[in-house]
Amino acid sequence: MVVDKRIFSILLFALLGVSCSSLYKGKSFSKVYVSDFHSDDIKICGPADVDLSHAQAKDFFVRAQEVDSRVIHDHYNHAPCYIEGTLRYQSESCQWEIRAGATGSIRCGQRITYFVCDTCDDLFKNESL
């Protein structure tokens, strides 16, 4: 019975650790502000394709996975339009962009962190990009 309690305790602490790290991820993004829209080809990719509110932009980063730039290059479409703005990420003021193809990035000084969101289809109107 003592062994069972130890195993239970270890599993409980492991579960709490995973839960806390997931909660922290969402809290590391704050003051998310959408400031502008850009398109390399307005006929193919327009404002409606990436029309996210401040809350939806934050939700994108909360739901997205951090990846290496090579993953985006090799496995995701580079949408020709994006929105950009500012946020606080890991206690720093940063600039971000979210592309219509459900990819994004955050630039804090010289450091760029890349994101993809495979569960964000509901945020984007044009799924063909």
Side-chain angles (χ1 to χ4, degrees):
M1 191 78 171
V2 173
V3 173
D4 291 337
K5 286 183 182 180
R6 287 183 190 162
I7 292 172
F8 178 76
S9 295
I10 291 169
L11 290 174
L12 181 61
F13 283 118
L15 181 61
L16 287 174
V18 169
S19 297
C20 290
S21 66
S22 296
L23 290 174
Y24 176 76
K25 180 181 178 190
K27 293 182 180 179
S28 66
F29 302 102
S30 64
K31 298 183 182 179
V32 179
Y33 177 75
V34 178
S35 63
D36 210 354
F37 166 82
H38 297 276
S39 182
D40 296 334
D41 190 343
I42 200 73
K43 292 177 186 174
I44 295 173
C45 194
D49 295 315
V50 65
D51 186 24
L52 277 59
S53 67
H54 306 301
Q56 289 171 317
K58 179 180 180 178
D59 192 32
F60 171 87
F61 287 112
V62 168
R63 290 161 48 181
Q65 296 177 343
E66 186 176 324
V67 296
D68 184 85
S69 62
R70 192 82 187 154
V71 171
I72 293 175
H73 178 270
D74 292 347
H75 302 287
Y76 290 85
N77 292 329
H78 180 80
C81 66
Y82 61 95
I83 57 173
E84 65 182 8
T86 58
L87 57 67
R88 296 229 10 115
Y89 177 57
Q90 297 177 344
S91 302
E92 291 184 65
S93 291
C94 307
Q95 292 78 41
W96 57 264
E97 71 177 45
I98 298 172
R99 293 194 169 267
T103 63
S105 63
I106 296 176
R107 178 186 297 272
C108 302
Q110 298 299 316
R111 186 181 77 245
I112 301 175
T113 307
Y114 297 95
F115 296 86
V116 298
C117 189
D118 296 326
T119 61
C120 292
D121 289 346
D122 58 310
L123 298 177
F124 300 92
K125 293 175 178 51
N126 188 347
E127 297 177 18
S128 65
L129 292 174

